[in-house]
Amino acid sequence: MQDRTRQAPKLADVRLALEARPSALPEMLAEVHAADLAEWLGALELDDARRLFDLTDLATQAEALQETSDTVREHLVPSLPVDRLVALAEVLPPDEVVDMLALVDEPLAEEVLHQVDFDGTRGLRRLFQYPPESAGGIMTTEFDAFDSGTRVGDAIKGLRRDEIASAGLGSGVYVVDEVGRPLGHVTDRELLTSPIHATLDELMEPDLVLVTADEDREEVALQIAKYNLPSLPVVDLRGRLIGVVTDDDALDVLEEEVREDIQMLVGASAQEQTRLPIARRVRQRLPLMGLTVLGGLATAKVLDLSIAAAGGDPGEGGGILDTMRYVPIILGLAGNVGIQSSTILVRALATGEVLPERERAVLGAEVATGVTIGVLCGLLTGVVALFLEAEVGLAYTFSLGVGLAIAIAVSWASLLGCLVPILCRRAGIDPAIVAGPFLITLSDLSATAIFMLVAQAVRGFAGAVG
């Protein structure tokens, strides 16, 4: 009775045990749910995640590997011993095994395949030949198919004898002809509620949507969503049934594609940004920022020419008018950096990638990324401005002021883009509500004010010293 009423451990309990009471972890993890383990693995530091993973049983490990993030899998799988990889390969669905072995060196993958039973190896090797972005790359070879003319009773007996039974997917059974070409599909409901002497041909839906193994996985997923299918049969060039793509696989693909599109839209990669090293984040986001700087410099030159054409003197004394010509750079950089940080944080908060326990670490890493980008963009702008403003009085001081102001303003925009979503979640407000126009407006306004104040302060200080 005590075990039944015992409260399930929380992430805070796991952290405490990892730090102070490692001996308590085995008992704590004895009946942990795989979904909880997957969440903990994503919230902990990668080394702690590995320690936790090693203490759980095989079945829980297999389920958690399917649920946890790509970043965590990339850290855990390559460090697993061969015997554990073999054990996981024997309990995971074939498509998941292929994904797992793709994370290890080819010789190690071959060694694992040699130790898996012959039938399983044959199916896995077939899956390995398909590109990850294709239907063959996401299909499973675990499905149930019966010959045309099979009676319902015989089909049910066959399913009972089959230990896999469609991998528990609940996607029904397929009816095939003598060479293995799909003729129709029978749902589980039809199978279980029909007379046992009826044939599958009488119950099947003959109008199947078929795809080949080389078709793009996103197109396949969209077809499953469009026609509300539990699974989609995959055929070879001769039309023979070789696998199925399930609705769960389609959902995973669509979620991944949406995540990629959203993050690429703001100049970031499709990877989990909150777990990448700062230097890698900077490398991925810097090209968009460099393009923004170049666009801003071009705009400054256009304004320079426009002011000159109107009879003004933009180069007189490096004053407020000269500084204002660089405001478009700030508007572009602050908006882009702010929306990058907020988009990454909003998605990470919504998907559970960032739990409350990781907020401080994620905030620090994202701000450090923004500061680095700000300094690099400020340096680039300052150097270019030195040449563009050669005729401006105190050109060196002016360029220094512009570069420093950009670095500080962009760093502030990054902080704002991270802090606002986190504060919104703590206040019980959906971060997505304020991560759009409101945050962009606030970022642009505050960053522009900071830019003007810092640039003019540097110019005033240099003038006073000079």
Side-chain angles (χ1 to χ4, degrees):
M1 185 68 179
Q2 183 178 1
D3 290 338
R4 293 182 181 180
T5 59
R6 185 179 60 184
Q7 187 176 6
K10 304 295 183 183
L11 178 59
D13 302 323
V14 175
R15 288 185 184 278
L16 180 62
L18 283 168
E19 295 175 1
R21 297 186 297 114
S23 59
L25 283 171
E27 181 181 357
M28 187 179 296
L29 299 174
E31 298 181 3
V32 65
H33 195 284
D36 292 327
L37 177 62
E39 181 180 281
W40 296 344
L41 294 177
L44 293 169
E45 295 299 323
L46 293 176
D47 289 340
D48 288 337
R50 168 64 199 277
R51 290 175 57 195
L52 202 65
F53 186 79
D54 287 343
L55 291 172
T56 54
D57 61 80
L58 177 64
T60 305
Q61 285 183 345
E63 291 186 46
L65 272 183
Q66 298 178 70
E67 297 292 335
T68 195
S69 67
D70 292 341
T71 305
V72 174
R73 276 196 294 268
E74 290 170 3
H75 177 75
L76 293 177
V77 171
S79 60
L80 293 175
V82 175
D83 59 341
R84 179 55 62 170
L85 289 173
V86 172
L88 287 169
E90 291 176 344
V91 297
L92 283 169
D95 53 330
E96 296 290 344
V97 176
V98 172
D99 292 341
M100 178 184 72
L101 295 183
L103 300 176
V104 302
D105 295 334
E106 186 174 346
L108 180 56
E110 284 293 331
E111 186 175 352
V112 172
L113 289 175
H114 279 305
Q115 297 189 40
V116 177
D117 67 274
F118 175 76
D119 291 334
T121 301
R122 184 170 55 185
L124 290 174
R125 290 188 184 279
R126 186 188 309 129
L127 289 177
F128 266 112
Q129 68 182 334
Y130 301 115
E133 300 297 318
S134 68
I138 62 171
M139 74 178 185
T140 179
T141 55
E142 291 181 347
F143 59 89
D144 288 295
F146 294 94
D147 293 334
S148 175
T150 301
R151 298 187 181 277
V152 169
D154 294 331
I156 292 176
K157 290 178 182 178
L159 290 176
R160 288 174 178 169
R161 289 194 303 267
D162 186 354
E163 294 181 358
I164 297 174
S166 297
L169 299 173
S171 56
V173 300
Y174 288 93
V175 182
V176 297
D177 64 14
E178 63 277 2
V179 296
R181 290 175 299 213
L183 301 175
H185 179 264
V186 180
T187 65
D188 291 333
R189 181 181 180 85
E190 288 283 350
L191 195 64
L192 295 175
T193 59
S194 299
I196 61 174
H197 296 294
T199 64
L200 297 182
D201 304 65
E202 299 172 25
L203 307 176
M204 71 181 185
E205 170 56 53
D207 296 326
L208 293 177
V209 179
L210 304 177
V211 296
T212 57
D214 59 351
E215 289 193 37
D216 183 77
R217 66 174 191 169
E218 185 176 2
E219 292 299 324
V220 173
L222 289 174
Q223 289 192 58
I224 289 178
K226 177 181 179 180
Y227 297 108
N228 194 26
L229 301 173
S231 63
L232 195 61
V234 182
V235 297
D236 61 15
L237 296 178
R238 297 182 180 179
R240 296 174 301 187
L241 183 62
I242 57 174
V244 297
V245 177
T246 68
D247 51 359
D248 285 340
D249 294 328
L251 180 60
D252 290 341
V253 168
L254 293 177
E255 287 180 348
E256 184 177 340
E257 293 292 341
V258 169
R259 183 180 73 240
E260 289 179 0
D261 291 345
I262 290 175
Q263 299 199 171
M264 291 176 69
L265 187 64
V266 295
S269 73
Q271 298 167 299
E272 288 187 336
Q273 291 288 310
T274 63
R275 288 194 173 276
L276 293 180
I278 293 174
R280 193 170 173 185
R281 301 186 204 188
V282 172
R283 287 198 305 270
Q284 291 177 352
R285 304 182 203 177
L286 200 56
L288 178 61
M289 298 302 106
L291 185 62
T292 303
V293 170
L294 294 177
L297 290 169
T299 304
K301 190 62 179 177
V302 170
L303 291 175
D304 186 12
L305 296 174
S306 299
I307 294 171
D313 185 6
E316 185 178 354
I320 187 71
L321 193 57
D322 299 291
T323 305
M324 289 180 64
R325 288 187 288 114
Y326 288 85
V327 167
I329 298 180
I330 281 298
L331 294 177
L333 285 176
N336 285 337
V337 169
I339 203 66
Q340 275 184 343
S341 298
S342 63
T343 299
I344 290 166
L345 261 294
V346 168
R347 193 204 70 82
L349 293 173
T351 59
E353 180 184 328
V354 175
L355 299 175
E357 294 82 359
R358 289 191 64 218
E359 286 180 352
R360 183 176 299 179
V362 169
L363 177 63
E366 274 298 310
V367 171
T369 302
V371 170
T372 304
I373 292 175
V375 169
L376 293 174
C377 290
L379 182 62
L380 173 62
T381 306
V383 171
V384 175
L386 182 62
F387 292 96
L388 292 179
E389 310 296 341
E391 299 179 358
V392 173
L394 300 174
Y396 286 99
T397 303
F398 177 79
S399 301
L400 174 63
V402 168
L404 182 61
I406 285 177
I408 295 175
V410 170
S411 300
W412 163 253
S414 177
L415 173 62
L416 204 60
C418 297
L419 198 57
V420 168
I422 291 176
L423 293 178
C424 283
R425 182 169 79 167
R426 291 189 176 185
I429 303 172
D430 187 351
I433 296 176
V434 296
F438 171 78
L439 183 58
I440 293 175
T441 302
L442 180 61
S443 177
D444 286 349
L445 180 62
S446 57
T448 300
I450 291 173
F451 170 76
M452 295 300 297
L453 289 173
V454 172
Q456 291 304 306
V458 172
R459 189 179 66 87
F461 176 77
V465 172

